[in-house]
Amino acid sequence: LMDDAGGDQRRIYELRQIVREWNEKLIQIWESQVEIEPENMEIRIKLAWCYLQNDRENDALQLCQSIDSEYKDPYDYHNLFSKITYHLGDYAASLSHLQATVEILQTMESDGTEETDNCINSLPEKLQLQGSCLINMGRNEEAIQKYEQSLALAPNNPEVLTHMGRLLCYVGDHSRAVEIFEKLTNVLPGAYHGFYLLSQTLFDLGRDREAFETVNR
């Protein structure tokens, strides 16, 4: 199992390296295009995404600050800004852009294309990111509400379940956290982290026997 886990980590690392190399090549292409077409905001947005994916958040932000807020694709505009500002730790700005993104998604209708459907299906992720911003701003009760909304749309999303359970533990609602982590173990029965989090929470509640059994699971 250890070997399998190590192999997975290596494959993930190798894939990330490939993506970074692709992005570097794309950056060169889009930077040249920006020089040729400085008024083309679509090219600027493509370049900004490449910067962001290669951990060049400040370059991405500087580039995007030249993009008109009335850009033709408001979803693309706010989605990009929300990601950049989140990575830079400007959670208030990210939250504002995420709210605009959520409002767009809530009224978006499918046109039969995969791209649009993927956008619509990303709503739980945006709500989760709002929750994460709120946590970092110390607004825990509001964060819980955002996670609740996200879970209502994607009740079996392991990432949302994990964040929700941890937040509930942080605010002291361990009993509810147990319910969330138990569900996480059902969603991912072959992953250890749900059982680990569940066992810790049961132990904190003084339910030692159940914690022991969960560790064994």
Side-chain angles (χ1 to χ4, degrees):
L1 286 174
M2 291 285 286
D3 289 341
D4 288 344
D8 288 341
Q9 289 299 317
R10 283 193 297 274
R11 284 189 288 274
I12 291 170
Y13 174 78
E14 290 167 0
L15 285 170
R16 285 176 176 167
Q17 289 301 110
I18 291 170
V19 170
R20 290 184 71 87
E21 290 170 9
W22 284 348
N23 276 324
E24 284 302 324
K25 293 176 180 178
L26 285 170
I27 285 170
Q28 295 175 18
I29 293 170
W30 295 130
E31 283 179 339
S32 299
Q33 286 299 113
V34 166
E35 291 182 9
I36 296 170
E37 303 178 66
E39 302 303 316
N40 190 323
M41 297 299 106
E42 189 174 352
I43 292 174
R44 287 178 178 268
I45 283 184
K46 289 178 178 178
L47 176 57
W49 276 115
C50 290
Y51 282 152
L52 180 60
Q53 291 180 79
N54 274 25
D55 304 318
R56 294 173 59 179
E57 293 90 350
N58 287 305
D59 290 334
L61 181 62
Q62 183 177 358
L63 184 68
C64 284
Q65 286 171 339
S66 64
I67 299 173
D68 193 328
S69 60
E70 299 300 316
Y71 177 67
K72 63 179 182 178
D73 187 340
Y75 170 78
D76 215 12
Y77 175 85
H78 288 292
N79 186 39
L80 176 58
F81 262 96
S82 71
K83 294 288 179 68
I84 294 172
T85 48
Y86 183 86
H87 282 281
L88 287 171
D90 188 350
Y91 300 114
S94 182
L95 186 62
S96 176
H97 286 292
L98 280 166
Q99 184 57 37
T101 305
V102 166
E103 290 172 1
I104 292 168
L105 290 176
Q106 287 173 333
T107 60
M108 189 178 289
E109 296 182 0
S110 176
D111 57 6
T113 65
E114 184 178 358
E115 182 178 2
T116 300
D117 288 344
N118 286 340
C119 288
I120 295 170
N121 292 333
S122 72
L123 180 55
E125 175 205 339
K126 309 307 179 191
L127 292 166
Q128 176 200 318
L129 278 174
Q130 282 187 306
S132 183
C133 287
L134 290 163
I135 291 171
N136 283 289
M137 296 168 71
R139 294 159 61 179
N140 295 327
E141 292 303 318
E142 293 174 78
I144 289 174
Q145 292 176 12
K146 290 298 179 182
Y147 283 126
E148 295 279 15
Q149 293 173 24
S150 183
L151 283 174
L153 295 171
N156 295 321
N157 185 309
E159 189 170 356
V160 179
L161 288 167
T162 300
H163 285 292
M164 179 67 160
R166 284 177 168 162
L167 177 56
L168 288 167
C169 287
Y170 180 76
V171 300
D173 192 350
H174 290 79
S175 295
R176 177 79 197 288
V178 165
E179 296 176 15
I180 294 294
F181 288 143
E182 189 68 69
K183 184 170 185 178
L184 180 59
T185 63
N186 293 328
V187 171
L188 294 175
Y192 81 90
H193 84 278
F195 296 97
Y196 176 73
L197 293 169
L198 177 59
S199 65
Q200 281 191 317
T201 309
L202 288 167
F203 183 79
D204 290 339
L205 283 170
R207 294 160 62 176
D208 296 0
R209 170 56 60 182
E210 292 172 84
F212 179 75
E213 291 171 352
T214 301
V215 170
N216 285 338
R217 288 165 62 194

